């Protein structure tokens, strides 16, 4: 390792430790900074840390506009810290990369499409059946609870009460824990997966509930990869892209659609749904009201009928 890369690596680790001591999870940011150190080493770059160095690193990913802006922002704040130890460090421009504020609309799967996606999981890796079973169970849990994919991947065995049908979600997006009751069918699917998982790995390497084919915790990368394979096998790659997070949207939209059809007081029930989903405010949950055209149609029809009744 070059002297500059070694110096940079030491400061990165100290910076990560500092941010975590302040209460930040700092996982993705740490990954970006460590990747930057590897880039500097691989490219045999010398001191000081420059704007060009940061720009070339960010552009080497060829990612979306938002991803580039996020990575550059992580580096910009680290450069400010690094300048304390190396005054020659160049300050990075705050708006070197513009962010796109357009949020891609979610793809709301029909019941038939969701069933097709889950069925396709068994064909992901026929030689390693547990991989398909893990993906199918995980997709079913996402669809039936609205959990975030990261929350599901972080679940430990002790977080899943297979007897009472309750999942404990720890360290959520807003660093709070919450209890998520699950339906009996979901509870049964989780029990079935646990039996198959334990039959393959009777001596687990850790406490993770969802395992990779190697018996370790299923990583975010592994989750995304398996999801993409199942999506392709199910014939869902055409048209609007499908992401794991879309299953969270689907859960919220389905619940809101049902409440509208039942003529329930949706505004009064939104705080309950917000708590279940782990939102900081029920106004965040209200965003899902615009999640699908049929939901808007139901809401509009109800508003018309209620207005006529008045």
């Amino acid at each position: 390792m070059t002297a500059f890369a070694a110096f940079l690596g030491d400061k990165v680790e100290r910076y990560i430790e500092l941010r975590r001591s302040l209460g930040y999870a700092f996982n993705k940011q740490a990954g970006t900074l460590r990747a930057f150190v590897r880039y500097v080493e691989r490219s045999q770059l010398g001191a000081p840390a420059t704007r060009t160095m940061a720009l070339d690193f960010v552009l080497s990913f060829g990612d979306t506009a938002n991803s580039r802006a996020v990575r550059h922002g992580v580096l910009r704040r680290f450069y400010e810290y690094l300048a304390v130890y190396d005054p020659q460090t160049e300050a990075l421009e705050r708006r070197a990369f513009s962010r796109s504020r357009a949020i891609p609309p979610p793809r709301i799967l029909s019941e038939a499409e969701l069933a097709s996606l889950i069925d396709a999981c068994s064909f992901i890796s026929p030689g390693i059946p547990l991989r398909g079973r893990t993906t199918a169970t995980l997709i079913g849990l996402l669809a039936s609870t609205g959990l975030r994919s990261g929350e599901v991947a972080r679940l430990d065995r002790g977080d899943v009460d297979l007897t009472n049908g309750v999942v404990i979600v720890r360290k959520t997006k807003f660093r709070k824990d919450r209890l998520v009751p699950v339906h009996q069918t979901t509870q049964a699917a989780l029990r079935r997966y646990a039996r198959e998982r334990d039959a393959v790995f009777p001596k687990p390497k850790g406490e993770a509930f969802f395992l990779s084919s190697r018996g370790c915790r299923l990583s975010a990368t592994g989750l995304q990869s398996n999801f993409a394979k199942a999506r392709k096998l199910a014939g869902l790659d055409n048209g609007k892209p499908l992401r794991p997070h879309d299953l969270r949207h689907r859960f919220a939209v389905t619940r809101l659609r049902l409440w509208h059809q039942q003529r329930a007081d949706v505004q009064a029930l939104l705080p309950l749904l917000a708590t279940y989903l782990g939102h900081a405010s029920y106004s965040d949950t209200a965003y899902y009201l615009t999640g699908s055209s049929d939901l808007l149609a139901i809401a509009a029809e109800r508003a018309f009928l209620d207005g006529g009744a008045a």
Side-chain angles (χ1 to χ4, degrees), residues 148 174 248 273-282 284-286 288:
R148 302 177 179 93
F174 302 99
R248 179 171 168 86
L273 183 58
T275 300
Y276 189 90
L277 290 172
H279 284 150
S281 168
Y282 77 88
D284 296 331
T285 311
Y288 293 106

Side-chain angles (χ1 to χ4, degrees), residues 286-297:
Y287 161 75
Y288 293 106
L289 283 166
T290 60
S292 67
S293 57
D294 63 328
L295 178 59
L296 287 174

Side-chain angles (χ1 to χ4, degrees), residues 44 60 241 260:
Q44 296 291 294
S60 69
H260 275 294

Side-chain angles (χ1 to χ4, degrees), residues 173-185:
K173 185 176 181 180
F174 302 99
R175 303 189 66 78
K176 293 182 179 180
D177 297 348
R178 74 181 190 277
L179 299 178
V180 178
V182 301
H183 192 270
Q184 290 181 350
T185 55

Side-chain angles (χ1 to χ4, degrees), residues 229-250:
K229 291 176 182 177
R231 181 186 64 209
K232 184 176 181 179
L233 289 167
L236 297 175
D237 264 354
N238 298 325
K240 188 183 297 182
L242 175 67
R243 307 158 298 177
H245 198 71
D246 290 345
L247 298 177
R248 179 171 168 86
H249 283 261
R250 183 185 187 278

Side-chain angles (χ1 to χ4, degrees), residues 202-215:
K203 296 182 179 180
K205 298 179 181 180
E207 294 299 318
F209 185 83
F210 287 106
L211 299 183
S212 70
S213 57
R214 296 182 179 181

Side-chain angles (χ1 to χ4, degrees), residues 1-13 33-46:
M1 178 175 285
T2 65
F4 178 58
F7 166 77
L8 203 61
D10 176 69
K11 297 311 175 196
V12 160
E13 294 304 322
L33 293 174
R34 286 167 177 154
F36 179 59
V37 174
R38 292 193 296 270
Y39 172 82
V40 169
E41 169 63 17
R42 187 170 58 251
S43 303
Q44 296 291 294
L45 300 175

